[in-house]
Amino acid sequence: MSITNTPTSNDACLSIVHSLMCHRQGGESETFAKRAIESLVKKLKEKKDELDSLITAITTNGAHPSKCVTIQRTLDGRLQVAGRKGFPHVIYARLWRWPDLHKNELKHVKYCQFAFDLKCDSVCVNPYHYERVVSPGIDLSGLTLTSSAPPGLMVKDEFHDYVDQQSLPSVEGPSIQTIQHPPSSRSANETYSTPAMLPPSDSSSSSASTFPNIAVGPARQVHNEIAFQPPISNHPAPEYWCSIAYFEMDVQVGETFKVPSNCPIVTVDGYVDPSGGDRFCLGQLSNVHRTEAIERARLHIGKGVQLECKGEGDVWVRCLSDHAVFVQSYYLDREAGRAPGDAVHKIYPSAYIKVFDLRQCHRQMQQQAATAQAAAAAQAAAVAGNIPGPGSVGGIAPAISLSAAAGIGVDDLRRLCILRMSFVKGWGPDYPRQSIKETPCWIEIHLHRALQLLDEVLHTMPIADPQPLD
């Protein structure tokens, strides 16, 4: 849109929203982006100078200086849009600048008077009043710090059957979102070191391998920390570091494929070599119930993906296929500032990205197991009437409030140790498929070191002795 056609604060909200939608980066669904922009424009309608500043900043990509664009700070600091809550400056920075932004990566510029961190009654959401900095806890090897997806790239770029946006069901309330992970700018020919799973006995000797250094800002470098971390457990590493099951829709096809710990890199592709080892070929697997649509999708798996185990059990994915893969990853959810299971991550061809962090998973399983046990104990006490208080009527009310936490079971904890990945076809509100079980070809990856640690966690949880029945 040329500068002469750019709207002003005097134009109708619809025109302004349409103009601002043209500059979004594509990391969020169109429904969410439109809701977020409409909400902001309506809040700024009475503050014409700030609305003009927003329009100028967005339509010129920050080329022209702009003032603070403020909204009222909420009690918890978060803004609710389309049933989802998030920090307002992060929401709009993702929309218009960095779709893969982590919530801890923003730093305000010096001249911003109402930056989120300044704790004022109003919060500046001008994306060009913030700079992206590297969060200390995030791995940068697969992160793009400059641009996001190529201009004009839509989320739905499946191989040939584009879906009209209007034909998709409308999204109300909380929903799974698609987050894009384009390839980084480093050379495709650059080699990566591939340390195998480190057995506990080797913990004293540090691995010499490091990730390629990435300059972030002036002469800043990021190094691999795997070599300096002691193992989480002294239990010997499992014989196989992962097992992979292949599915077509909701049916498993073929046997589960196990990857030995001495093969830290395994390729899953669409070809037909039956030899196994460090390569799982999906093309050789037959299914009498296979449909034509599944067969078409399988033709596009091609070179597939490479799964790499680093350190004690972290997992990285490289997309070798000519088409994107879609991943369910609690680690990527957390790095994107989302709740576990709240997003689908689209990994583009040539992208190389971390999808699983063993230490983070271990902490999460310890916390959830402890929470579930404490809730179950409190629930039992509440049912017995041992928790007095204004909310308790014979212990029933507290028991109900605790039931969700107490309902965390072993299956919930096992999900922390599993990755799911769909080839070619995505799922979620941006696609006609709402679940991975509706996609034509996908894999489920069980991570054995994580399951081993979960077993240890469950064994160390004290279990109350069952009381005899009267």
Side-chain angles (χ1 to χ4, degrees):
M1 182 178 288
S2 67
I3 199 72
T4 54
N5 294 331
T6 302
T8 69
S9 58
N10 293 320
D11 288 307
C13 283
L14 195 62
S15 301
I16 299 171
V17 169
H18 176 76
S19 173
L20 297 179
M21 281 285 287
C22 293
H23 294 269
R24 69 189 183 98
Q25 293 298 308
E28 298 284 2
S29 69
E30 184 172 345
T31 302
F32 180 86
K34 190 173 183 181
R35 295 263 190 92
I37 294 172
E38 282 176 347
S39 171
L40 181 57
V41 169
K42 287 176 182 176
K43 288 173 182 172
L44 297 175
K45 253 310 188 179
E46 301 304 316
K47 298 189 282 188
K48 292 186 179 296
D49 57 334
E50 293 189 21
L51 183 52
D52 282 325
S53 286
L54 176 70
I55 295 168
T56 299
I58 302 306
T59 57
T60 65
N61 295 324
H64 294 180
S66 52
K67 301 177 184 177
C68 285
V69 177
T70 62
I71 61 174
Q72 187 71 28
R73 181 185 289 270
T74 59
L75 287 175
D76 66 355
R78 296 186 298 166
L79 179 71
Q80 181 156 326
V81 177
R84 275 172 44 200
K85 276 195 167 187
F87 296 115
H89 63 311
V90 176
I91 289 174
Y92 294 107
R94 280 181 184 148
L95 274 180
W96 284 310
R97 295 195 71 182
W98 306 286
D100 58 351
L101 179 73
H102 186 272
K103 63 182 177 182
N104 296 327
E105 292 182 305
L106 286 183
K107 177 184 177 184
H108 64 272
V109 295
K110 291 181 179 178
Y111 52 82
C112 183
Q113 299 176 333
F114 296 95
F116 183 83
D117 293 338
L118 298 180
K119 310 292 185 189
C120 301
D121 290 339
S122 296
V123 178
C124 178
V125 294
N126 185 337
Y128 292 93
H129 277 204
Y130 294 89
E131 295 172 341
R132 187 172 189 177
V133 296
V134 179
S135 169
I138 194 169
D139 287 280
L140 297 175
S141 301
L143 189 65
T144 305
L145 297 180
T146 50
S147 64
S148 60
L153 182 64
M154 295 295 289
V155 172
K156 300 187 303 298
D157 63 346
E158 295 171 311
F159 58 92
H160 54 66
D161 54 346
Y162 291 86
V163 181
D164 183 355
Q165 186 73 27
Q166 293 181 352
S167 70
L168 296 176
S170 61
V171 182
E172 299 292 339
S175 62
I176 294 176
Q177 299 293 313
T178 305
I179 299 175
Q180 301 184 63
H181 299 271
S184 64
S185 56
R186 70 168 71 123
S187 167
N189 296 324
E190 185 172 346
T191 58
Y192 298 83
S193 55
T194 56
M197 180 179 289
L198 301 177
S201 59
D202 292 345
S203 61
S204 58
S205 60
S206 63
S207 167
S209 61
T210 56
F211 297 154
N213 299 327
I214 300 175
V216 182
R220 182 176 174 185
Q221 292 182 328
V222 180
H223 298 274
N224 176 23
E225 296 180 357
I226 285 180
F228 307 107
Q229 294 179 332
I232 299 171
S233 166
N234 290 324
H235 199 285
E239 182 181 359
Y240 301 96
W241 72 263
C242 79
S243 54
I244 307 169
Y246 169 65
F247 292 83
E248 292 177 0
M249 308 294 278
D250 59 351
V251 176
Q252 181 174 349
V253 177
E255 299 293 325
T256 299
F257 184 87
K258 293 183 178 181
V259 185
S261 291
N262 60 5
C263 292
I265 299 179
V266 60
T267 301
V268 183
D269 60 37
Y271 303 127
V272 295
D273 187 346
S275 57
D278 61 352
R279 188 172 163 209
F280 184 19
C281 293
L282 306 179
Q284 61 165 323
L285 302 176
S286 59
N287 177 9
V288 294
H289 302 295
R290 183 172 294 151
T291 64
E292 186 179 344
I294 294 174
E295 193 60 70
R296 282 202 310 271
R298 280 167 51 84
L299 290 173
H300 293 271
I301 296 174
K303 295 179 181 177
V305 294
Q306 212 171 56
L307 304 173
E308 180 175 356
C309 181
K310 289 191 174 187
E312 193 178 353
D314 294 352
V315 179
W316 292 66
V317 167
R318 187 194 303 276
C319 181
L320 303 175
S321 174
D322 292 333
H323 300 278
V325 294
F326 300 81
V327 178
Q328 188 178 67
S329 159
Y330 288 175
Y331 169 77
L332 288 178
D333 292 344
R334 186 183 179 96
E335 293 306 301
R338 302 294 179 83
D342 189 40
V344 176
H345 300 269
K346 181 175 184 178
I347 300 180
Y348 283 86
S350 301
Y352 178 72
I353 189 168
K354 184 175 183 178
V355 294
F356 180 80
D357 185 285
L358 186 68
R359 290 177 184 275
Q360 183 191 94
C361 176
H362 187 239
R363 286 194 301 271
Q364 209 169 350
M365 64 176 68
Q366 285 178 315
Q367 291 167 0
Q368 286 195 19
T371 300
Q373 189 195 40
Q379 185 181 36
V383 170
N386 294 336
I387 301 182
S392 65
V393 181
I396 299 301
I400 293 171
S401 65
L402 292 164
S403 61
I408 297 173
V410 174
D411 283 347
D412 299 291
L413 296 170
R414 282 183 71 254
R415 288 191 192 101
L416 300 174
C417 312
I418 295 171
L419 296 168
R420 286 176 159 185
M421 183 184 304
S422 170
F423 294 97
V424 184
K425 297 286 189 176
W427 76 96
D430 296 309
Y431 302 93
R433 297 161 295 277
Q434 297 307 300
S435 160
I436 194 171
K437 292 184 178 181
E438 296 172 36
T439 62
C441 39
W442 58 281
I443 55 175
E444 186 171 86
I445 305 146
H446 291 241
L447 303 172
H448 292 195
R449 184 61 166 175
L451 289 165
Q452 196 178 53
L453 294 177
L454 174 58
D455 190 64
E456 288 186 12
V457 168
L458 294 175
H459 271 93
T460 56
M461 296 297 292
I463 306 297
D465 292 330
Q467 298 299 315
L469 297 173
D470 292 335

